[in-house]
């Protein structure tokens, strides 16, 4: 009898939970979010990697935290880590699409083709793709909203700062993969650095993925031993190895600096009690995935989100730029700060047009990168 009572109690609890999470209807807008969401908006944020990278994916997760903090019980948010095993990504997207989520969020070019394959099959769902865009001619995609970032603008400022800080006239960057987005970082970085010092040397290297921090450390170690005294991490979780290499090469005492990426990496290191890394991180080039996702969800709820399009966000949208925290105040000389501020104002005023890797041929891109070696 006791076992039967316990079983009945558990079933009641399950039905109660299901009842609390039911939605009352789907949006019907074509080309825009109609804002007629249920009492609880259900969101799935699929991470094609893992949290804890202290940069890109953590920024996406922070966007979900921002929404939950503000909206509370009005949203039911699941952040699903799919790992770096790409065989798990497609099944995870299908599973989310067949569940009762209203919005499904995916990111990076690695999820583009998978989303293109399934978005039209689930017209009642709304899909966000950040840091990439579907090829609009490949489907109808009336339920897709894409966000791309002007990382070249923020990286231009990182290049200005790197060149202003460098004592050797040699700086570097380590990218995750040799793809258009990472190259967009590199192109902006080179242009910004050369605006300060036309003769500066800018080394670059690619890990080949975004999770192998040991390889990133090896690549950065070579760059530091070759004379680079400022390095730019553009490799997500793998890029944590760049900081390790800098510390192993003498860190602050050796006059080495690393510019972080996507999130405020100095404060993240400080929170993790990794002060040897925090004290060599004068700034991070923020790519505010969190703000862009927060804004998109709020627009969906307000009924003002235009689906079926790609938006491009940059400095003017507060979605890229350099962190100005206590480490920036302490580690960056006044003259370098002035150079960064002047560069940001020039971009905003249209006086400087930042080059972009987007649309460059491979030959043009190779020549651009090699011109800075």
């Amino acid at each position: 009898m006791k076992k039967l009572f316990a079983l009945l109690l558990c079933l009641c609890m399950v039905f109660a939970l299901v009842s609390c999470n039911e939605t009352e209807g789907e949006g019907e807008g074509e080309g825009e979010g109609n804002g007629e969401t249920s009492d609880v908006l259900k969101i799935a944020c699929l991470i094609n990697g893992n949290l804890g990278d202290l940069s890109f994916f953590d920024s996406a997760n922070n966007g979900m935290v921002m929404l939950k903090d503000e909206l509370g019980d009005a949203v039911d948010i699941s952040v699903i880590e799919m790992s770096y095993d790409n065989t798990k990504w497609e099944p995870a997207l299908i599973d989310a699409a067949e569940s009762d989520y209203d919005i499904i969020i995916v990111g990076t070019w690695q999820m583009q083709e998978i989303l293109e394959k399934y978005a039209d099959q689930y017209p009642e769902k709304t899909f966000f793709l950040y840091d990439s865009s579907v090829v609009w001619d490949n489907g109808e995609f009336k339920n897709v909203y894409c966000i791309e970032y002007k990382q070249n603008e923020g990286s231009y400022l990182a290049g200005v700062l790197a060149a202003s800080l460098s004592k050797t006239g040699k700086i570097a960057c380590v990218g995750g993969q040799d793809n258009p987005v990472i190259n967009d970082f590199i192109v902006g970085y080179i242009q910004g650095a050369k605006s300060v010092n036309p003769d500066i040397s800018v080394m670059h290297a690619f890990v080949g993925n975004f999770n192998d921090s040991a390889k990133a450390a090896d690549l950065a170690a070579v760059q530091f031993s070759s004379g680079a005294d400022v390095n730019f991490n553009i490799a997500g979780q793998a890029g944590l190895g760049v900081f390790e290499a800098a510390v192993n090469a003498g860190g602050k005492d050796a006059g080495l600096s690393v510019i972080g990426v996507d999130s405020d990496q100095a404060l993240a290191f400080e929170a993790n009690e990794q002060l040897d890394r925090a004290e060599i991180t004068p700034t991070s080039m923020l790519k505010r995935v969190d703000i862009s996702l927060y804004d998109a969800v709020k627009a969906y709820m307000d009924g003002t989100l235009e689906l079926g399009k790609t938006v491009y966000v940059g400095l003017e949208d507060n979605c890229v730029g350099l962190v100005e925290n206590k480490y920036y105040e302490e580690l960056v000389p006044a003259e370098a700060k002035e150079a960064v501020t002047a560069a940001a104002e020039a971009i905003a005023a249209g006086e400087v047009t930042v080059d972009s890797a987007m649309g460059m041929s491979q030959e043009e891109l190779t020549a651009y990168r090699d011109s800075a070696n």
Side-chain angles (χ1 to χ4, degrees):
M1 180 65 75
K2 289 183 179 179
K3 291 183 178 179
L4 177 59
F5 178 77
L7 177 59
L8 290 172
L9 180 61
C10 288
L11 287 171
C12 289
M13 292 175 66
V14 169
F15 286 126
L17 286 172
V18 170
S19 177
C20 287
N21 287 311
E22 283 182 346
T23 58
E24 296 179 357
E26 302 288 349
E28 298 175 354
E30 196 169 283
E32 63 179 22
N34 66 0
E36 295 178 3
T37 58
S38 63
D39 290 340
V40 178
L41 180 68
K42 298 201 69 174
I43 303 171
C45 182
L46 307 185
I47 302 295
N48 51 307
N50 293 108
L51 298 178
D53 61 355
L54 306 184
S55 60
F56 188 76
F57 290 132
D58 282 359
S59 182
N61 181 63
N62 189 55
M64 302 302 100
V65 172
M66 291 164 60
L67 287 165
K68 189 65 178 177
D69 285 347
E70 178 175 334
L71 301 173
D73 292 339
V75 291
D76 181 355
I77 300 174
S78 298
V79 177
I80 301 168
E81 298 179 67
M82 300 187 292
S83 83
Y84 289 99
D85 181 355
N86 60 12
T87 63
K88 297 181 178 180
W89 300 347
E90 186 170 336
L93 178 64
I94 295 172
D95 184 60
E98 294 184 348
S99 299
D100 60 347
Y101 294 111
D102 302 297
I103 298 175
I104 299 167
I105 301 171
V106 296
T108 80
W109 61 275
Q110 294 169 306
M111 292 298 296
Q112 174 195 326
E113 290 187 3
I114 298 175
L115 180 59
E116 289 178 354
K117 186 176 179 181
Y118 293 102
D120 284 343
Q121 296 183 32
Y122 298 92
E124 76 282 3
K125 304 294 183 181
T126 296
F127 296 94
F128 293 173
L129 173 62
Y130 62 90
D131 205 36
S132 187
S133 180
V134 296
V135 178
W136 293 104
D137 291 339
N138 287 349
E140 292 190 0
F141 305 137
K142 295 178 181 179
N143 55 340
V144 176
Y145 181 77
C146 299
I147 307 168
E148 294 201 44
Y149 305 88
K150 299 176 184 178
Q151 54 271 320
N152 58 326
E153 292 183 349
S155 297
Y156 183 98
L157 302 184
V160 169
L161 179 62
S164 299
L165 292 178
S166 179
K167 300 293 191 296
T168 65
K170 296 180 180 180
I171 61 176
C173 58
V174 175
Q177 292 186 315
D178 189 353
N179 65 43
V181 170
I182 298 302
N183 280 304
D184 208 34
F185 277 95
I186 294 173
V187 166
Y189 184 59
I190 290 172
Q191 185 185 1
K194 283 183 167 291
S195 74
V196 174
N197 177 4
D199 298 321
I200 198 164
S201 172
V202 186
M203 309 173 203
H204 69 275
F206 297 101
V207 179
N209 57 58
F210 292 92
N211 59 292
D212 191 345
S213 60
K215 184 173 180 181
D218 290 342
L219 294 171
V222 172
Q223 293 171 332
F224 287 128
S225 66
S226 299
D229 55 354
V230 183
N231 210 316
F232 185 18
N233 162 32
I234 325 173
Q237 184 169 327
L240 297 178
V242 178
F243 297 91
E244 178 185 353
V247 169
N248 291 341
K252 184 177 181 180
D253 292 339
L256 302 181
S257 299
V258 180
I259 297 173
V261 73
D262 294 334
S263 297
D264 189 337
Q265 294 197 290
L267 293 188
F269 287 133
E270 181 181 83
N272 290 340
E273 298 184 350
Q274 295 175 297
L275 296 182
D276 55 350
R277 287 157 172 74
E279 66 183 7
I280 60 169
T281 310
T283 192
S284 295
M285 201 297 277
L286 289 182
K287 192 169 181 178
R288 298 302 302 266
V289 177
D290 52 359
I291 289 178
S292 65
L293 294 180
Y294 170 90
D295 288 345
V297 171
K298 291 299 293 291
Y300 175 92
M301 298 181 75
D302 293 342
T304 59
L305 186 73
E306 295 183 36
L307 297 175
K309 67 182 295 185
T310 300
V311 297
Y312 298 86
V313 293
L315 279 175
E316 62 182 354
D317 308 288
N318 196 33
C319 284
V320 300
L322 300 188
V323 170
E324 296 183 10
N325 58 21
K326 66 179 184 180
Y327 292 98
Y328 184 82
E329 294 302 319
E330 295 172 5
L331 300 176
V332 179
E335 186 176 348
K337 291 175 185 172
E338 292 170 2
V340 170
T341 299
E345 290 175 349
I347 293 172
E351 298 168 2
V352 169
T353 300
V354 183
D355 296 334
S356 175
M358 305 300 183
M360 281 189 182
S361 68
Q362 185 58 51
E363 292 74 17
E364 291 171 329
L365 178 60
T366 299
Y368 198 103
R369 295 185 312 206
D370 290 349
S371 69
N373 288 338

